[in-house]
């Protein structure tokens, strides 16, 4: 890893879990980590319940856009965290991979997304501590 590690969060639609994880890491790490997120089949917009749940904790993810996972992005990332789409993510020797089993917030209301958001924060805090 370089002095500034890069972390790629990947889920199918890049509209909920991976966007919340990226939002948490940006919030907690500042500019000490390069934060990326992508999806194997990206949605057109971010999940409104994910946006609302993150807004409740003071994190604005409305400026983010679901993005297609590209080979080069994965290849140039130090850590790749998958959330339900591990088979779609290319595997590169020497990379650190984690697969976070999390409920899918798609189609859920903000009440159902809050515990997912909070679990993601816990995992992001642990990852950040390990990166430091």
């Amino acid at each position: 890893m370089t002095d500034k590690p890069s972390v790629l969060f990947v889920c199918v639609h890049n509209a909920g879990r991976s966007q919340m994880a990226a939002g948490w890491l940006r919030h907690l790490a500042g500019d000490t980590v390069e934060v990326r997120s992508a999806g194997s089949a990206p949605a057109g917009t971010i999940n409104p319940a994910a946006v609302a749940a993150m807004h409740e904790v003071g994190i604005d993810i409305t400026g983010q856009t679901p993005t297609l996972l590209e080979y080069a992005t994965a290849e140039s990332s130090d850590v790749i965290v998958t959330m339900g789409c591990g088979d779609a993510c290319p595997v590169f020797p020497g990379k650190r991979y984690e697969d976070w089993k999390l409920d899918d917030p798609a189609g859920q209301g903000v009440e159902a997304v809050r515990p997912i958001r909070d679990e993601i924060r816990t995992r992001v805090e642990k990852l950040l501590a390990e990166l430091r």
Side-chain angles (χ1 to χ4, degrees), residues 48-130:
V51 170
M54 293 300 284
H55 185 264
E56 290 177 347
V57 295
I59 299 173
D60 182 6
I61 60 172
T62 58
Q64 303 304 311
T65 304
T67 304
L68 180 64
L69 174 62
E70 295 188 8
Y71 184 91
T73 303
E75 183 179 35
S76 65
S77 297
D78 296 307
V79 180
I80 300 172
V81 179
T82 57
M83 304 173 187
C85 68
D87 293 346
C89 191
V91 176
F92 300 98
K95 302 286 179 195
R96 175 178 171 180
Y97 288 88
E98 292 189 18
D99 185 35
W100 293 357
K101 306 272 189 237
L102 298 161
D103 291 336
D104 188 349
Q108 304 293 322
V110 71
E111 300 80 18
V113 175
R114 285 183 191 120
I116 301 167
R117 172 202 65 201
D118 296 343
E119 176 65 22
I120 290 171
R121 179 184 181 146
T122 299
R123 292 176 189 225
V124 167
E125 287 173 334
K126 181 178 184 277
L127 175 63
L128 183 56
E130 292 168 355

Side-chain angles (χ1 to χ4, degrees), residues 8-15 18 37-43 66-70 85 88:
L8 171 62
F9 295 104
V10 184
C11 68
V12 175
H13 297 122
N14 190 223
S18 57
S37 71
S40 55
T67 304
L68 180 64
L69 174 62
E70 295 188 8
C85 68

Side-chain angles (χ1 to χ4, degrees), residues 2-55:
T2 62
D3 290 339
K4 184 175 181 175
S6 59
V7 177
L8 171 62
F9 295 104
V10 184
C11 68
V12 175
H13 297 122
N14 190 223
R17 294 167 289 188
S18 57
Q19 291 289 354
M20 288 190 289
W24 275 121
L25 188 55
R26 282 187 200 96
H27 177 75
L28 296 169
D31 64 356
T32 64
V33 176
E34 183 178 349
V35 181
R36 305 166 173 179
S37 71
S40 55
T45 60
I46 295 182
N47 180 328
V51 170
M54 293 300 284
H55 185 264

